[in-house]
Amino acid sequence: MLDPLGALTEAFTSFLFGKVETTRLPVRTSTGQAQAVYLPTAAPGLGDSGVIIGREVYSGKGYIYDPFQLYGQQLPAPHWLVLGESGNGKSALEKTYVLRQLRFRDRQVVVLDAQGEDGVGEWNLIAQELGITPIRLDPTAALNGGIRLNPLDPSITTTGQLALLRTIIEVAMGHGLDERSGFALKVAHAAVLSEHEDTEGGDDDEAPVSRPRRQPVLTDIVEQLRHPEPASAEAMNVDIDDVRAWGLDVALVLDRLVDGDLRGMFDGPTTAGIDLDAPLIVFDLSHIDRNSIAMPILMAIVGVWLEHTWIRPDRKKRIFLVEEAWHIINSPFVAQLFQRLLKFGRRLGLSFVAVVHHLSDVVDGAAAKEAAAILKMASTRTIYAQKADEARATGRVLGLPRWAVEIIPTLTPGIAVWDVNGNVQVVKHLITEAERPLVYTDRAMTESSALPTDEARAISLAADAEAEARAEAIAMERQLRDESSETVA
């Protein structure tokens, strides 16, 4: 009830200005009831089937990703590109992802491990934990019982062998083979295959049976290039000396694999006992100079060898993870081989994971056309922290929204922008205590100044919370600004 003076004042005010709206009194309510009134909003996730990556920074929801589950529904291709500066968590993401995928019975993973620490590849701890012996390719050990991969392995088709030989030579030479050199290589390869087969007569009603005597090797190719068969020259009505001259440069390149700095790794029968049915296969490339021509040559040989010996129509889901993938994408000839592998493997359940530090390493390189084709096939892109100019270039190439591009330079280790076929989220990668010792790869830089476990964990949690809060504030500010500018427009 109003006092008389208040009632008189209200009546006079209503007479002059009209009826005044009644002020709504505050209401006390519970959090649960308020949630029903003010519904939270968050971008849709990727479903609940697959492996958990971590949680979305803004909504706090669990983030689950699996290219095999999403393929054909939300993903046009199961391939994945991971980008970011060193030290931001790319390796930890890859390793936990593989460990979690291997919990499914129908999964199999091959890793090309180009990083090294303490004289072994950085996947060595995980391999040991799973009882796997890495396939260590080392030029210094190849002559003393080390691992060999034969480009002329009979398990590779004749066409595949010739394509691989051409790629090896083109990568080493830095340009494509001309028609004459290609002809010399083709006739040498055909002569070697013919020479290393025995033709035995069967029964009276059976055709002769060809049985290989031994695996042909690169030395045989070099020898045939130096001394070509007269019949091959006669078939093309050319002089035998011309055929020999056409194959000279090819022979010199292959001689490097036979008797040069890469000798032993590829000149000999494939090492027996490589278990291609193991759940995890690790090729340890850490003893190879990453800046030498040996790395793309080796990756080409491993890629083609796996294509013909590992990928099979057996309903298994396979993951092919390549560290330092710019060695593949930045070489036109190697990129073409892997482009075919990606197209072929998609029908047989293959997910290709390429790890690259900078997108400019590939889009501005010699294989820009091939790189663009491979990037187009990668429907999933994960971007860790990059410098502002690199982030803008990445955003232009990948078509990221403006708010995501602006937030990339502010990201702290473990937090990344995920773009899954246009579904863009900021995700905090979570590592369990059991996984932490297996994915921790920078011991040499940190072990001397390591903090006690509890103190280090507390500092890490505080830093993560601060980073997430800062990232959320920046992202919300950007989104509000974008919405405001769109409304005005």
Side-chain angles (χ1 to χ4, degrees), residues 62-303:
Y63 193 80
I64 297 174
Y65 171 78
D66 191 295
F68 305 110
Q69 296 291 335
L70 298 173
Y71 178 63
Q73 302 174 21
Q74 300 183 51
L75 280 180
H79 309 306
W80 180 15
L81 175 69
V82 183
L83 295 167
E85 301 276 358
S86 297
N88 281 284
K90 297 192 304 297
S91 292
L93 172 66
E94 301 154 25
K95 291 170 183 172
T96 56
Y97 175 74
V98 167
L99 287 170
R100 295 167 190 178
Q101 282 281 5
L102 289 177
R103 290 185 174 272
F104 295 97
R105 293 182 179 179
D106 63 342
R107 300 293 196 266
Q108 196 179 27
V109 182
V110 162
V111 176
L112 299 192
D113 182 7
Q115 303 281 1
E117 186 178 31
D118 298 335
V120 295
E122 66 173 35
W123 284 78
N124 191 64
L125 283 176
I126 290 178
Q128 287 181 346
E129 182 71 14
L130 298 178
I132 303 296
T133 301
I135 302 170
R136 184 164 295 117
L137 292 169
D138 183 356
T140 62
L143 298 176
N144 299 314
I147 298 295
R148 282 192 174 97
L149 295 179
N150 186 12
L152 302 177
D153 193 309
S155 60
I156 302 176
T157 64
T158 301
T159 302
Q161 291 178 13
L162 186 57
L164 181 53
L165 289 172
R166 287 185 65 101
T167 299
I168 293 171
I169 295 161
E170 289 171 338
V171 170
M173 296 176 69
H175 59 79
L177 283 180
D178 59 35
E179 293 298 327
R180 296 181 177 185
S181 297
F183 172 76
L185 176 64
K186 184 179 72 172
V187 298
H189 178 244
V192 166
L193 294 186
S194 176
E195 180 182 345
H196 288 82
E197 283 187 349
D198 272 339
T199 302
E200 298 179 0
D203 295 334
D204 294 338
D205 297 330
E206 293 181 359
V209 179
S210 294
R211 292 189 175 90
R213 288 188 292 178
R214 66 168 175 84
Q215 287 189 16
V217 294
L218 288 180
T219 305
D220 302 322
I221 299 289
V222 174
E223 188 64 23
Q224 278 292 334
L225 288 167
R226 293 175 58 200
H227 305 288
E229 295 288 339
S232 62
E234 293 171 3
M236 293 298 292
N237 196 26
V238 295
D239 191 86
I240 190 69
D241 291 332
D242 290 336
V243 177
R244 185 181 297 107
W246 297 345
L248 179 60
D249 288 343
V250 176
L252 291 174
V253 171
L254 291 180
D255 185 65
R256 180 178 178 183
L257 301 180
V258 172
D259 197 31
D261 52 347
L262 299 178
R263 66 187 184 279
M265 289 193 297
F266 310 114
D267 183 35
T270 299
T271 302
I274 296 178
D275 185 6
L276 293 179
D277 294 320
L280 175 65
I281 306 167
V282 177
F283 286 89
D284 184 349
L285 314 181
S286 61
H287 287 260
I288 309 296
D289 182 0
R290 286 182 286 173
N291 296 315
S292 74
I293 197 66
M295 188 63 81
I297 290 176
L298 191 148
M299 286 190 170
I301 292 175
V302 171

